[in-house]
C-alpha cells in the first residue's frame, strides 16, 4: 500500500486552516470518513471516479434499479465530490456569497453543492443528454456542449463524462464542453473536480461569467439548461435560455427540449401533506390518485422550448421591470370549494426524447404554492401584492425576467 | 433665596440636580408615584446618599405634596423626565415659577417620547427647551433654549446622555438670566405638526412596503438595544434590528422585504421600497449577530422574504 501523502492528508484534516470552518462543519462526516480510511491521494481520486461512474451506470441502465440503490450511489457521489471541494481552497466569502442579480437569484456554492444529490433531476437529464449526444455524434465527429450556470459540480455532465471515459464510449475528441458559472467558488471547485476526475481533455473552457451575458467563441450543438427552482421562479433560467439559444447551431438542441409550466388550484392540506403520508418518498410515480383527482387544473401558463424562446418578445414596464407575456387562463366556475384552494405552479421538464423530470421528481418540479393568489376570497388584509379574482375571470400571466423572476397574474 | 423642587424619575436628571445642589438652589426632589424601575431605584439611592430631601408625588391629590413643598420653602419648580402630568393645584402653587425642560424644538415633538421620535424622523438637531408648565402638556411659554446637534449615528441612549450633559449649562444660564430678569418669555409658535406620542408595540415593527430605507435605518437607530428596539419578522419569529445602514440598489422587480444579498464582507442586504438596507446588527434570543452570521445560523437565503405586519394566512 502506498504511504499516504502527508501534505494531502493534512489538507483534509480538521486542523488545516485552508478548509473554511463553515465548509468543514457542513461536510465533517465526509472529512472524518476520509481521515479514518487513511486513503492515499490516488485512492481518493479513484473512489471519486468510481462513485461518478457507478451513479451513471445505474442511471443509464435499462434494468430495474431501486430508489435505495440510486440514493446510495448519489450520496456516495456527493461524499466524494465535496472532498474535491474541500481541496479547492475556497474562502468563506466565495463559498457563501448569494445574491439576486438583475436577472435572478444566484445561489451560493455552499447551497448549490447539494444539487448533485437530486437523484431524479440528474437521472432525467443525464438519460436525455446521453441520447442527445449519441444522436448528434451519429452525424458529427465532434460536438460542443454548453452548460451555463453549472454550479460547482456540473452534475448533469461531469458524471456522464466520467462514465463515457471509463466505458470508452466517447472520447475527448468527440465531446467538447464549455462550463460557465458566475460564482468564483464554483469555478475553483470545478477546476479541482475536473482535475480529480481526469476529465480535462473534455473541457474546452471553464468561464467565470454571467450566463446571461456570456458569448461562446464556437457554435453550440447542445445547450444544457438547468438553473431553476420550483414553480419556475427565482433564478434567471429564462434570461439565460433566451440569451444562449441564439448561439445554438441551426440543428442544435436545447436540453430540456421542452418545459411546460402549469397552474392548478389545490387544497393545500391534500396536495402537500395528505398525499405524501403513506409513501416513502415524493416522486411522480408515488402521487396519490385521489389527490390528483381533487386538483383543479388551470392549464399551461408557459411553454419554453427553442421555438418559443426565439419568438419571445420582451416588454419593459415603467419601473424598468422586463416581462414576457405568458398564457391566459379562465378560472373555472363549477368548483364549489374554490375559496379554500390555493394556486400552485409546477413544471414538467421533457429533457430529451422520452426522458423527463416530472412533478415531484425533483426540487425543481415540485409544485410551488402561491399564497398571494386569491379566488372567490378576500384576504383578511388586502396588500398590494395580493391578487384577488373570482371564478369565471380571465387571468393573463406574465413572466417577470427582472430581479426575482416568477409569474405575475393580471386580471383581464 | 428661591430654591427649586426638581420633579423627575430618572438618573438622566442628575447633572441638573447636582448643579442645583452644589449651588445651594435645591430644596428637594419629587419622585413619581407607582412601581419603581431600576432607573428610579438608582436615583433614590443616589439622593439618599447625598442626603437630598425627597418627596413623593401622589396620583390622588396634591395637597400633602404642596404642604411639604411649602415646608421646604420650594418656591420654584423644574420638571424633567417626569411621568405624570402636573395638575392645576400644583401649577398654581408655584405661581408661574414651575418650568418644564422639554428636549425638542417646541412646538414640535410634544409628548412623552420626543428624543425617540426625533431620531426616528431623522432630525439633525434637537434642543433643550425651558417652558412654563401649563395645564395643556408641553404648551407653556418658552423662556430659554439650547440647541443640540444629533450625530447621524447617535441612538436614543447616546442622545439622552448628550442631553443630560447639557443640563448644567442650560440650567445655570437659565437661572442667571432669570436672576437678571433677562428671560424673554414668549408664546410657542403655532404649528407643531410633528408629535412624540408614547411608543406602541406596533410602532416598532418594520413594514417593508411602507417604510423607506431612511426610516428603517432610523427606526433601528432610535430603538437600538433599548425597549423600543425596531423589530422584524421572519418565519413567524421576531428579531430585533439593532443597527442598519442604507445600501445603494438599482435592482428592479423585487418585492420590499426580499433578501437580495448575503456575503461575508457585504453582509445581509434587504430590498426596501426605495433601495436597500443592510442589517448590520440583529438581536435574537440566542444573542446578537451581524447580518451574515444571523443569516447563516437562522437559515436565511437571498430570495426569501421577510414578513411585514401580522400577515397570517389561514388557507394552508
Amino acid at each position: 500500500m502506498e504511504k499516504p501523502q502527508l501534505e494531502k492528508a493534512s489538507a483534509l484534516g480538521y486542523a488545516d486552516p485552508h478548509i473554511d470552518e463553515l465548509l468543514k462543519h457542513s461536510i465533517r462526516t465526509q472529512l472524518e470518513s476520509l481521515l479514518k480510511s487513511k486513503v492515499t491521494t490516488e485512492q481518493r481520486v479513484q473512489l471519486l471516479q468510481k462513485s461518478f461512474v457507478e451513479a451513471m451506470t445505474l442511471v443509464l441502465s435499462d434494468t430495474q434499479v431501486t430508489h435505495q440503490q440510486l440514493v446510495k450511489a448519489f450520496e456516495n457521489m456527493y461524499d466524494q465530490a465535496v472532498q474535491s471541494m474541500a481541496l479547492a481552497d475556497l474562502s468563506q466569502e466565495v463559498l457563501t456569497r448569494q445574491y439576486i442579480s438583475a436577472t435572478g437569484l444566484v445561489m451560493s456554492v455552499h447551497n448549490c453543492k447539494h444539487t448533485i444529490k437530486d437523484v431524479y433531476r440528474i437521472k432525467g437529464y443525464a438519460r436525455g443528454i446521453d441520447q442527445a449526444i449519441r444522436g448528434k455524434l451519429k452525424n458529427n465527429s465532434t460536438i460542443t456542449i454548453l452548460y451555463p450556470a453549472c454550479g460547482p459540480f456540473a452534475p448533469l455532465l461531469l458524471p456522464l463524462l466520467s462514465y463515457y471515459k471509463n466505458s470508452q464510449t466517447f472520447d475527448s475528441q468527440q465531446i467538447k464542453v464549455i462550463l460557465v458559472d458566475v460564482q468564483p467558488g464554483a469555478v475553483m471547485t470545478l477546476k479541482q473536480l475536473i482535475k480529480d476526475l481526469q476529465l480535462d481533455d473534455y473541457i474546452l473552457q471553464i468561464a467565470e461569467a454571467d450566463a446571461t451575458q456570456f458569448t461562446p467563441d464556437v457554435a453550440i450543438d447542445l445547450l444544457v439548461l438547468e438553473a431553476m427552482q420550483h414553480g419556475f421562479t427565482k433564478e434567471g433560467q429564462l434570461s439565460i435560455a433566451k440569451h444562449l439559444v441564439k448561439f445554438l447551431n441551426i440543428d442544435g438542441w436545447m436540453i430540456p427540449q421542452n418545459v411546460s409550466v402549469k397552474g392548478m388550484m389545490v387544497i393545500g392540506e391534500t396536495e402537500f401533506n395528505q398525499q405524501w403520508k403513506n409513501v416513502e418518498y415524493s416522486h411522480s410515480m408515488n402521487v396519490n390518485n385521489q389527490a390528483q383527482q381533487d386538483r383543479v387544473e388551470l392549464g399551461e401558463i408557459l411553454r419554453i422550448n427553442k421555438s418559443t424562446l426565439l419568438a419571445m418578445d420582451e416588454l419593459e414596464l415603467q419601473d424598468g421591470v422586463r416581462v414576457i407575456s405568458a398564457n391566459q387562463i379562465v378560472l373555472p366556475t363549477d368548483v364549489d370549494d374554490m375559496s379554500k384552494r390555493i394556486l400552485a405552479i409546477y413544471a414538467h421538464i421533457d429533457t430529451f426524447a422520452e426522458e423527463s423530470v416530472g412533478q415531484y421528481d425533483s426540487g425543481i418540479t415540485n409544485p410551488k404554492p402561491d399564497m398571494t393568489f386569491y379566488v372567490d376570497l378576500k384576504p383578511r388584509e388586502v396588500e398590494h401584492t395580493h391578487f384577488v379574482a373570482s371564478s369565471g375571470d380571465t387571468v393573463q400571466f406574465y413572466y417577470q425576467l427582472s430581479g426575482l423572476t416568477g409569474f405575475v397574474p393580471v386580471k383581464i | 433665596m428661591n430654591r427649586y423642587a426638581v420633579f423627575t424619575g430618572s438618573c438622566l436628571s442628575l447633572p441638573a440636580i447636582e448643579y442645583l445642589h452644589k449651588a445651594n438652589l435645591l430644596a428637594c426632589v419629587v419622585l413619581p408615584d407607582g412601581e419603581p424601575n431600576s432607573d428610579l431605584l438608582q436615583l433614590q439611592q443616589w439622593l439618599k446618599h447625598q442626603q437630598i430631601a425627597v418627596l413623593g408625588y401622589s396620583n390622588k391629590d396634591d395637597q400633602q405634596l404642596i404642604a411639604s413643598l411649602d415646608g421646604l420653602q420650594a418656591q420654584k419648580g423644574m420638571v424633567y423626565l417626569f411621568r405624570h402630568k402636573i395638575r392645576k393645584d400644583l401649577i398654581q402653587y408655584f405661581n408661574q415659577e414651575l418650568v418644564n425642560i422639554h428636549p425638542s424644538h417646541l412646538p414640535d415633538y410634544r409628548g412623552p417620547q420626543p428624543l425617540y421620535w426625533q431620531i426616528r424622523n431623522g432630525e439633525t438637531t434637537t434642543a433643550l427647551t425651558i417652558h412654563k408648565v401649563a395645564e395643556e402638556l408641553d404648551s407653556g411659554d418658552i423662556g430659554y433654549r439650547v440647541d443640540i446637534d444629533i450625530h447621524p449615528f447617535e441612538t436614543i441612549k447616546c442622545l439622552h446622555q448628550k442631553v443630560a450633559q447639557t443640563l448644567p449649562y442650560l440650567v445655570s444660564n437659565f437661572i442667571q438670566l432669570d436672576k437678571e430678569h433677562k428671560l424673554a418669555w414668549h408664546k410657542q409658535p403655532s404649528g407643531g405638526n410633528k408629535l412624540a406620542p408614547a411608543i406602541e408595540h406596533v410602532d416598532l415593527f418594520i413594514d417593508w412596503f411602507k417604510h423607506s430605507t431612511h426610516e428603517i435605518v432610523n427606526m433601528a437607530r432610535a430603538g437600538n438595544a433599548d425597549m423600543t428596539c425596531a423589530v422584524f419578522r421572519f418565519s413567524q419569529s421576531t428579531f430585533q434590528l439593532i443597527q442598519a445602514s442604507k445600501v445603494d440598489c438599482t435592482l428592479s422587480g423585487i418585492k420590499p422585504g426580499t433578501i437580495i444579498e448575503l456575503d461575508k464582507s457585504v453582509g445581509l442586504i434587504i430590498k426596501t421600497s426605495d433601495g436597500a438596507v443592510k442589517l448590520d446588527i440583529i438581536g435574537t434570543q440566542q444573542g446578537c449577530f451581524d447580518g451574515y452570521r444571523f443569516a447563516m445560523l437562522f437559515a436565511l437565503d437571498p430570495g426569501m422574504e421577510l414578513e411585514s405586519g401580522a400577515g397570517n394566512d389561514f388557507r394552508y
Side-chain angles (χ1 to χ4, degrees), chain B residues 257-308:
Chain B
T258 304
I259 303 168
I260 55 172
E261 187 166 356
L262 177 62
D263 179 286
K264 192 168 181 248
S265 309
V266 178
L268 176 65
I269 314 293
I270 313 295
K271 182 80 179 78
T272 58
S273 56
D274 61 345
V277 69
K278 177 185 171 200
L279 307 191
D280 295 320
I281 303 170
I282 294 147
T284 75
Q285 287 183 348
Q286 290 77 17
C288 290
F289 303 98
D290 67 21
Y292 172 76
R293 289 192 176 201
F294 167 74
M296 297 305 290
L297 278 173
F298 289 81
L300 276 78
D301 275 322
M304 291 178 173
E305 290 172 27
L306 305 184
E307 293 150 29
S308 282

Side-chain angles (χ1 to χ4, degrees), chain A residues 3-12:
Chain A
K3 193 179 171 187
Q5 290 180 15
L6 288 175
E7 190 188 344
K8 289 289 181 187
S10 72
L12 290 164

Side-chain angles (χ1 to χ4, degrees), chain A residues 123-141:
Chain A
K123 185 182 176 194
Y125 266 94
R127 287 179 68 92
I129 295 168
D130 175 55
Q131 290 180 58
I133 289 172
R134 287 172 195 273
K136 278 283 162 204
L137 285 174
K138 271 183 190 164
N139 304 314
N140 299 282
S141 58

